[in-house]
mmCIF file of all heavy atoms in Angstrom:
data_model
loop_
_atom_site.group_PDB
_atom_site.id
_atom_site.type_symbol
_atom_site.label_atom_id
_atom_site.label_comp_id
_atom_site.label_asym_id
_atom_site.label_seq_id
_atom_site.Cartn_x
_atom_site.Cartn_y
_atom_site.Cartn_z
ATOM 1 N N ALA A 132 101.019 109.613 95.955
ATOM 2 C CA ALA A 132 100.356 110.111 97.167
ATOM 3 C C ALA A 132 98.873 109.796 97.162
ATOM 4 O O ALA A 132 98.294 109.459 98.203
ATOM 5 C CB ALA A 132 100.587 111.617 97.311
ATOM 6 N N PHE A 135 98.408 106.032 97.746
ATOM 7 C CA PHE A 135 98.602 105.719 99.165
ATOM 8 C C PHE A 135 97.360 106.145 99.960
ATOM 9 O O PHE A 135 96.919 105.434 100.876
ATOM 10 C CB PHE A 135 99.852 106.413 99.691
ATOM 11 C CG PHE A 135 100.294 105.962 101.061
ATOM 12 C CD1 PHE A 135 99.971 104.694 101.551
ATOM 13 C CD2 PHE A 135 101.037 106.807 101.868
ATOM 14 C CE1 PHE A 135 100.391 104.279 102.813
ATOM 15 C CE2 PHE A 135 101.462 106.410 103.129
ATOM 16 C CZ PHE A 135 101.122 105.145 103.601
ATOM 17 N N ALA A 136 96.779 107.297 99.599
ATOM 18 C CA ALA A 136 95.548 107.750 100.254
ATOM 19 C C ALA A 136 94.444 106.723 100.068
ATOM 20 O O ALA A 136 93.693 106.406 101.015
ATOM 21 C CB ALA A 136 95.119 109.102 99.688
ATOM 22 N N ILE A 139 94.998 103.821 102.424
ATOM 23 C CA ILE A 139 94.669 104.137 103.812
ATOM 24 C C ILE A 139 93.156 104.141 104.023
ATOM 25 O O ILE A 139 92.644 103.567 104.999
ATOM 26 C CB ILE A 139 95.276 105.507 104.197
ATOM 27 C CG1 ILE A 139 96.804 105.411 104.220
ATOM 28 C CG2 ILE A 139 94.755 105.971 105.559
ATOM 29 C CD1 ILE A 139 97.488 106.758 104.360
ATOM 30 N N LEU A 287 92.526 112.515 106.238
ATOM 31 C CA LEU A 287 93.749 112.748 105.458
ATOM 32 C C LEU A 287 93.520 113.864 104.469
ATOM 33 O O LEU A 287 92.382 114.169 104.094
ATOM 34 C CB LEU A 287 94.222 111.465 104.761
ATOM 35 C CG LEU A 287 93.337 110.771 103.729
ATOM 36 C CD1 LEU A 287 93.384 111.460 102.350
ATOM 37 C CD2 LEU A 287 93.738 109.317 103.574
ATOM 38 N N VAL A 288 94.617 114.461 104.033
ATOM 39 C CA VAL A 288 94.586 115.511 103.024
ATOM 40 C C VAL A 288 95.653 115.207 101.981
ATOM 41 O O VAL A 288 96.832 115.049 102.315
ATOM 42 C CB VAL A 288 94.851 116.900 103.641
ATOM 43 C CG1 VAL A 288 94.985 117.957 102.534
ATOM 44 C CG2 VAL A 288 93.745 117.292 104.605
ATOM 45 N N PRO A 299 103.265 116.052 94.879
ATOM 46 C CA PRO A 299 102.039 115.879 95.671
ATOM 47 C C PRO A 299 102.360 115.395 97.081
ATOM 48 O O PRO A 299 103.253 114.565 97.280
ATOM 49 C CB PRO A 299 101.266 114.823 94.888
ATOM 50 C CG PRO A 299 101.778 114.928 93.491
ATOM 51 C CD PRO A 299 103.224 115.274 93.633
ATOM 52 N N LYS A 300 101.623 115.922 98.047
ATOM 53 C CA LYS A 300 101.880 115.612 99.452
ATOM 54 C C LYS A 300 100.653 114.952 100.079
ATOM 55 O O LYS A 300 99.518 115.181 99.654
ATOM 56 C CB LYS A 300 102.241 116.888 100.219
ATOM 57 C CG LYS A 300 103.511 117.579 99.715
ATOM 58 C CD LYS A 300 103.749 118.874 100.461
ATOM 59 C CE LYS A 300 105.062 119.536 100.042
ATOM 60 N NZ LYS A 300 105.078 119.892 98.622
ATOM 61 N N LEU A 301 100.912 114.158 101.112
ATOM 62 C CA LEU A 301 99.838 113.491 101.840
ATOM 63 C C LEU A 301 100.020 113.747 103.330
ATOM 64 O O LEU A 301 101.104 113.518 103.877
ATOM 65 C CB LEU A 301 99.846 111.982 101.555
ATOM 66 C CG LEU A 301 98.702 111.179 102.182
ATOM 67 C CD1 LEU A 301 97.358 111.625 101.620
ATOM 68 C CD2 LEU A 301 98.906 109.684 101.928
ATOM 69 N N TYR A 302 98.956 114.222 103.965
ATOM 70 C CA TYR A 302 98.952 114.504 105.398
ATOM 71 C C TYR A 302 97.880 113.633 106.062
ATOM 72 O O TYR A 302 96.782 113.472 105.509
ATOM 73 C CB TYR A 302 98.638 115.978 105.665
ATOM 74 C CG TYR A 302 99.568 116.948 104.972
ATOM 75 C CD1 TYR A 302 99.308 117.373 103.673
ATOM 76 C CD2 TYR A 302 100.700 117.435 105.614
ATOM 77 C CE1 TYR A 302 100.155 118.261 103.020
ATOM 78 C CE2 TYR A 302 101.560 118.330 104.974
ATOM 79 C CZ TYR A 302 101.278 118.737 103.672
ATOM 80 O OH TYR A 302 102.125 119.614 103.035
ATOM 81 N N ILE A 303 98.181 113.104 107.260
ATOM 82 C CA ILE A 303 97.218 112.262 107.952
ATOM 83 C C ILE A 303 97.023 112.727 109.391
ATOM 84 O O ILE A 303 97.901 113.328 110.002
ATOM 85 C CB ILE A 303 97.638 110.774 107.955
ATOM 86 C CG1 ILE A 303 98.957 110.575 108.718
ATOM 87 C CG2 ILE A 303 97.757 110.229 106.535
ATOM 88 C CD1 ILE A 303 99.296 109.114 108.964
ATOM 89 N N CYS A 304 95.826 112.451 109.897
ATOM 90 C CA CYS A 304 95.504 112.648 111.314
ATOM 91 C C CYS A 304 94.654 111.447 111.713
ATOM 92 O O CYS A 304 93.457 111.403 111.416
ATOM 93 C CB CYS A 304 94.739 113.954 111.520
ATOM 94 S SG CYS A 304 94.227 114.254 113.222
ATOM 95 N N ILE A 305 95.288 110.452 112.333
ATOM 96 C CA ILE A 305 94.623 109.178 112.599
ATOM 97 C C ILE A 305 94.750 108.825 114.074
ATOM 98 O O ILE A 305 95.839 108.895 114.653
ATOM 99 C CB ILE A 305 95.220 108.051 111.735
ATOM 100 C CG1 ILE A 305 95.051 108.368 110.240
ATOM 101 C CG2 ILE A 305 94.560 106.716 112.061
ATOM 102 C CD1 ILE A 305 95.697 107.354 109.319
ATOM 103 N N MET A 309 96.270 111.913 117.878
ATOM 104 C CA MET A 309 96.442 112.940 116.855
ATOM 105 C C MET A 309 95.194 113.808 116.749
ATOM 106 O O MET A 309 95.281 115.027 116.515
ATOM 107 C CB MET A 309 96.785 112.306 115.503
ATOM 108 C CG MET A 309 98.136 111.624 115.468
ATOM 109 S SD MET A 309 98.595 111.062 113.814
ATOM 110 C CE MET A 309 98.996 112.609 113.012
ATOM 111 N N TYR A 315 97.991 117.290 112.056
ATOM 112 C CA TYR A 315 98.176 116.549 110.805
ATOM 113 C C TYR A 315 99.677 116.498 110.542
ATOM 114 O O TYR A 315 100.377 117.498 110.710
ATOM 115 C CB TYR A 315 97.491 117.261 109.637
ATOM 116 C CG TYR A 315 96.003 117.042 109.551
ATOM 117 C CD1 TYR A 315 95.139 117.641 110.466
ATOM 118 C CD2 TYR A 315 95.448 116.247 108.551
ATOM 119 C CE1 TYR A 315 93.770 117.465 110.385
ATOM 120 C CE2 TYR A 315 94.082 116.056 108.463
ATOM 121 C CZ TYR A 315 93.244 116.671 109.380
ATOM 122 O OH TYR A 315 91.889 116.484 109.298
ATOM 123 N N ARG A 316 100.161 115.365 110.079
ATOM 124 C CA ARG A 316 101.584 115.289 109.750
ATOM 125 C C ARG A 316 101.758 114.717 108.350
ATOM 126 O O ARG A 316 101.001 113.841 107.917
ATOM 127 C CB ARG A 316 102.348 114.436 110.765
ATOM 128 C CG ARG A 316 102.047 112.959 110.763
ATOM 129 C CD ARG A 316 102.921 112.229 111.777
ATOM 130 N NE ARG A 316 102.693 110.791 111.790
ATOM 131 C CZ ARG A 316 103.303 109.920 110.985
ATOM 132 N NH1 ARG A 316 104.188 110.346 110.106
ATOM 133 N NH2 ARG A 316 103.044 108.626 111.070
ATOM 134 N N GLN A 317 102.745 115.242 107.656
ATOM 135 C CA GLN A 317 103.035 114.741 106.318
ATOM 136 C C GLN A 317 103.700 113.380 106.425
ATOM 137 O O GLN A 317 104.554 113.148 107.291
ATOM 138 C CB GLN A 317 103.950 115.703 105.568
ATOM 139 C CG GLN A 317 104.197 115.279 104.123
ATOM 140 C CD GLN A 317 105.077 116.266 103.374
ATOM 141 O OE1 GLN A 317 105.297 117.390 103.832
ATOM 142 N NE2 GLN A 317 105.577 115.849 102.225
ATOM 143 N N VAL A 318 103.300 112.464 105.562
ATOM 144 C CA VAL A 318 103.873 111.119 105.568
ATOM 145 C C VAL A 318 104.603 110.870 104.256
ATOM 146 O O VAL A 318 104.232 111.388 103.203
ATOM 147 C CB VAL A 318 102.789 110.043 105.778
ATOM 148 C CG1 VAL A 318 102.190 110.161 107.167
ATOM 149 C CG2 VAL A 318 101.695 110.133 104.722
ATOM 150 N N ASP A 319 105.652 110.082 104.322
ATOM 151 C CA ASP A 319 106.355 109.652 103.125
ATOM 152 C C ASP A 319 105.556 108.549 102.445
ATOM 153 O O ASP A 319 104.942 107.709 103.105
ATOM 154 C CB ASP A 319 107.750 109.135 103.477
ATOM 155 C CG ASP A 319 108.654 110.229 104.024
ATOM 156 O OD1 ASP A 319 108.480 111.391 103.610
ATOM 157 O OD2 ASP A 319 109.516 109.919 104.877
ATOM 158 N N VAL A 320 105.573 108.554 101.130
ATOM 159 C CA VAL A 320 104.828 107.556 100.364
ATOM 160 C C VAL A 320 105.734 106.367 100.066
ATOM 161 O O VAL A 320 106.811 106.534 99.486
ATOM 162 C CB VAL A 320 104.304 108.156 99.049
ATOM 163 C CG1 VAL A 320 103.558 107.101 98.236
ATOM 164 C CG2 VAL A 320 103.394 109.353 99.341
ATOM 165 N N PRO A 321 105.324 105.155 100.448
ATOM 166 C CA PRO A 321 106.146 103.971 100.166
ATOM 167 C C PRO A 321 106.366 103.776 98.667
ATOM 168 O O PRO A 321 105.503 104.103 97.848
ATOM 169 C CB PRO A 321 105.312 102.825 100.752
ATOM 170 C CG PRO A 321 104.441 103.472 101.776
ATOM 171 C CD PRO A 321 104.129 104.832 101.243
#
Side-chain angles (χ1 to χ4, degrees):
F135 191 25
I139 293 170
L287 62 79
V288 173
K300 298 176 176 62
L301 184 63
Y302 304 87
I303 63 170
C304 177
I305 300 176
M309 293 187 73
Y315 280 72
R316 68 177 181 86
Q317 185 178 346
V318 294
D319 294 329
V320 178

